[in-house]
Amino acid sequence: MTTMTIAHLIAFNLTLFVAIVSPGPAFLFLLRTTLANGRATGLLTALGLATMASGWTGLALFGLDGIFKLFPWAYLTLKIVGASYLIWIAIKTWQHARAPVSEAVPPPAHRAYLSGLLVNLANPKSVLFSAAVIVVIFPPGLTGAEKLIIYLNHFAVELVVQPALALLLSTSLIRGRYIALKPVFDRVAASVLGTLGLRLLIDR
């Protein structure tokens, strides 16, 4: 049996970093939330995103992808709910594209964290992606301790990268540019989120 090494974790972390900073539902949601509602809300949203993203990896490690294969209806149900949520976010974002940033009321702390959780919960493909990455990078026959290390490692990476993005996005320079181009950014984000939601609905 091949033992997991630091090299495996480094390769995993590089893959995670690319996935986190690539444009997608989570990144776009963090971008808009932080720029519209400020640093504190962005950090709480980032924490929610980090919790759920690493949670998917934990679930993949301990066999949720196998459950989806055994019970396709569970995957289908979660996919429909997740896609509907992404589309709902897209509609709301489009409707309020021209609303001044000052009109955006920061949500309560628990809601900002919950919103981050829900956005990453909205795509059950995340667990299949995590499972695929784990299979490609790590050796077979991982022990329970090694699986725990991988999960904690993922959570640590998310806790560093997601809040760092929120802090960067909350700087005055980026915020000023966002305010000037808010209708454009919001409608681009709404279009991407809506398209992702629709693709999730129709993708077999």
Side-chain angles (χ1 to χ4, degrees), residues 166-179:
L167 290 173
L168 177 64
L169 295 171
S170 66
T171 59
S172 57
L173 175 62
I174 294 179
R175 181 178 171 83
R177 292 184 176 179
Y178 169 75
I179 291 173

Side-chain angles (χ1 to χ4, degrees), residues 29-46:
F29 188 73
L30 179 63
L31 169 68
R32 185 180 182 280
T33 300
T34 302
L35 293 179
N37 295 321
R39 181 175 299 174
T41 301
L43 287 172
L44 288 166
T45 303

Side-chain angles (χ1 to χ4, degrees), residues 180-200:
L181 297 172
K182 180 180 179 296
V184 176
F185 285 146
D186 279 11
R187 284 177 176 164
V188 169
S191 299
V192 173
L193 290 170
T195 300
L196 289 170
L198 289 173
R199 286 186 62 184
L200 189 57

Side-chain angles (χ1 to χ4, degrees), residues 76-158:
L76 179 62
T77 300
L78 188 55
K79 186 172 80 164
I80 292 173
V81 172
S84 300
Y85 184 68
L86 290 178
I87 293 170
W88 180 80
I89 292 175
I91 292 172
K92 291 296 181 182
T93 301
W94 186 280
Q95 288 177 339
H96 296 90
R98 291 194 173 277
V101 174
S102 59
E103 292 181 11
V105 179
H110 72 279
R111 192 175 299 170
Y113 175 77
L114 181 61
S115 294
L117 278 175
L118 290 174
V119 166
N120 266 343
L121 177 64
N123 190 355
K125 283 187 174 181
S126 297
V127 72
L128 301 180
F129 170 79
S130 297
V133 170
I134 290 166
V135 168
V136 170
I137 293 178
F138 294 102
L142 293 169
T143 66
E146 288 173 333
K147 290 179 180 180
L148 181 60
I149 289 171
I150 294 170
Y151 164 72
L152 293 175
N153 169 85
H154 186 165
F155 189 45
V157 171
E158 293 278 350

